[in-house]
């Protein structure tokens, strides 16, 4: 991308409330629990190999984890480094852009863990009323 092209892109205003806004695609990606867990794991533990991420995030299928990592790499949030070993090992790390987001995601994860009892009580009360 040339400097002129980058300047033109920087002029575009994004408003996620508008139906045609491209930032909605990013919000859709970011709203995935798998994205939140991958970003949190990389923030807390640093660069990880694929198998380490899979062990850290219980319940993530190979397909889902692969799709999530590809989406994060495409959006510039995660870097992927292939090491020419036998067998080949792949390491994932946060990019500076991913680092800037991961703190927010980690805060949401911590909030969910700290407030889950209250949410469970609220759900039970709601279910009793309906």
């Amino acid at each position: 991308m040339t400097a002129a092209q980058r300047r033109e892109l920087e002029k575009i205003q994004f408003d996620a409330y508008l139906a045609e806004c491209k930032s909605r695609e990013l919000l859709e990606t970011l709203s995935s629990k798998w994205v939140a867990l991958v970003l949190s794991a990389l923030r807390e533990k640093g660069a990880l190999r694929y198998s380490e991420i899979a062990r850290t995030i219980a319940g993530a299928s190979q397909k889902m984890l692969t799709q999530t990592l590809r989406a994060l790499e495409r959006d510039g949030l995660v870097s992927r480094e292939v090491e020419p070993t036998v067998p080949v090992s792949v390491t994932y790390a946060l990019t500076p852009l991913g680092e800037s987001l991961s703190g927010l995601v980690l805060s949401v994860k911590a909030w969910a863990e700290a407030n889950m009892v209250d949410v469970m009580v609220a759900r039970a009360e709601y279910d009793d009323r309906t």
Side-chain angles (χ1 to χ4, degrees), residues 1-12:
M1 178 177 293
T2 67
Q5 290 170 324
R6 185 177 295 268
R7 282 191 300 275
E8 285 301 312
L9 280 177
E10 289 172 355
K11 291 179 187 177
I12 298 172

Side-chain angles (χ1 to χ4, degrees), residues 40-53:
S40 296
L42 292 173
R43 171 77 178 227
E44 289 179 329
K45 299 175 182 246
L48 295 171
R49 292 174 54 176
Y50 181 93
S51 59
E52 294 170 317
I53 297 171

Side-chain angles (χ1 to χ4, degrees), residues 12-85:
I12 298 172
Q13 297 294 315
F14 295 100
D15 183 351
Y17 289 121
L18 300 175
E20 66 278 356
C21 184
K22 298 300 262 178
S23 63
R24 283 189 175 199
E25 295 173 19
L26 180 59
L27 288 172
E28 184 175 351
T29 298
L30 298 178
S31 66
S32 163
K33 69 181 174 189
W34 303 116
V35 166
L37 293 172
V38 167
L39 291 175
S40 296
L42 292 173
R43 171 77 178 227
E44 289 179 329
K45 299 175 182 246
L48 295 171
R49 292 174 54 176
Y50 181 93
S51 59
E52 294 170 317
I53 297 171
R55 279 194 302 274
T56 300
I57 303 173
S61 68
Q62 182 177 354
K63 178 183 176 184
M64 184 53 63
L65 188 55
T66 298
Q67 287 175 345
T68 299
L69 288 165
R70 283 184 183 155
L72 291 171
E73 184 181 5
R74 180 174 184 250
D75 288 340
L77 301 171
V78 168
S79 65
R80 179 179 184 267
E81 183 181 327
V82 178
E83 300 164 28
T85 58

Side-chain angles (χ1 to χ4, degrees), residues 87-130:
V88 172
S89 60
V90 180
T91 303
Y92 295 89
L94 293 173
T95 64
L97 187 61
E99 191 72 36
S100 72
L101 173 64
S102 65
L104 297 169
V105 173
L106 195 57
S107 294
V108 171
K109 175 185 165 284
W111 182 91
E113 292 167 342
N115 291 284
M116 195 60 221
V117 170
D118 292 334
V119 170
M120 291 170 64
V121 168
R123 287 178 178 175
E125 289 172 355
Y126 176 88
D127 291 345
D128 289 345
R129 287 192 314 268
T130 57

